[in-house]
Amino acid sequence: MKKGYSRAELGGIESKLFTARDFRLESGQSLPVLELAYETYGSLSPARDNAILMVHGYTSSHHAAGRNAPGKQGRGVAAGATGWFDGLIGPGKAVDTNHSFVVSVNALGSAHGSTGPNCADPRTGKPYGPTFPDITMRDIVAAEKLLVDLARTQEPRGGDRPRRWADSSLSSGLPPIRAS
């Protein structure tokens, strides 16, 4: 731990939703409404150069660190639950939120916060269920890129997505990506 910084727990975390309209999938189909659940930890620097995108490999949700404020947990996140990477994200931890701005995003298609089969299809008002369109890893990355564009995130982590970011035409113009 760096001198002058305490290792503390993150509290009062609020789940947020990013929304986009008419999200076009690789298949040519469109989602009328795309929602991505996410949480943020730490502060974005004025130069916007300290952001880290944290993605999950089917850990169920975007709740990666700390505990949510009462009533502020995302869909599918139990009240009072500790984030799945809590031991590594926070002040004085490996991903130090004294220096980094972490955006933890839930994957498109997940049943825990982002648009997926359990969500209502705005065209029918009923859950998509088996009518939810097939999605690809490129679709998931494209959805995340919309959110990334807000924070200019530089370092995705987790599963196959960093490789897809690196080998995708979507990554053109973004800083180099280090996969862990």
Side-chain angles (χ1 to χ4, degrees):
M1 181 179 349
K2 294 180 179 153
K3 188 175 181 177
Y5 291 98
S6 65
R7 183 174 174 169
E9 299 303 315
L10 294 169
I13 304 300
E14 183 175 339
S15 182
K16 302 172 182 114
L17 277 178
F18 167 78
T19 303
R21 305 274 180 226
D22 300 316
F23 180 72
R24 189 159 183 83
L25 300 168
E26 192 173 30
S27 68
Q29 293 181 286
S30 291
L31 292 172
V33 177
L34 164 72
E35 290 185 333
L36 292 179
Y38 71 100
E39 292 179 350
T40 61
Y41 320 105
S43 298
L44 187 60
S45 70
R48 303 175 69 86
D49 62 356
N50 67 331
I52 297 172
L53 177 65
M54 194 67 72
V55 299
H56 66 82
Y58 305 107
T59 55
S60 79
S61 79
H62 56 287
H63 183 53
R67 295 184 190 275
N68 291 106
K72 298 296 184 178
Q73 68 274 8
R75 184 172 59 228
V77 176
T82 301
W84 47 265
F85 229 16
D86 189 63
L88 295 175
I89 301 172
K93 296 180 182 180
V95 180
D96 190 345
T97 55
N98 289 318
H99 304 286
S100 298
F101 177 66
V102 179
V103 179
S104 180
V105 63
N106 194 21
L108 170 64
S110 169
H112 299 283
S114 295
T115 301
N118 65 331
C119 295
D121 180 339
R123 297 168 290 207
T124 66
K126 297 178 183 176
Y128 280 103
T131 67
F132 189 74
D134 290 338
I135 58 173
T136 66
M137 190 61 69
R138 289 185 189 278
D139 293 326
I140 294 169
V141 169
E144 290 167 349
K145 185 178 182 310
L146 293 174
L147 179 61
V148 164
D149 287 344
L150 294 178
R152 299 184 55 115
T153 305
Q154 298 180 25
E155 191 173 349
R157 297 177 184 241
D160 186 46
R161 281 182 263 172
R163 185 177 65 76
R164 293 291 180 181
W165 270 90
D167 71 9
S168 169
S169 62
L170 295 172
S171 65
S172 63
L174 292 176
I177 296 170
R178 297 182 309 268
S180 57

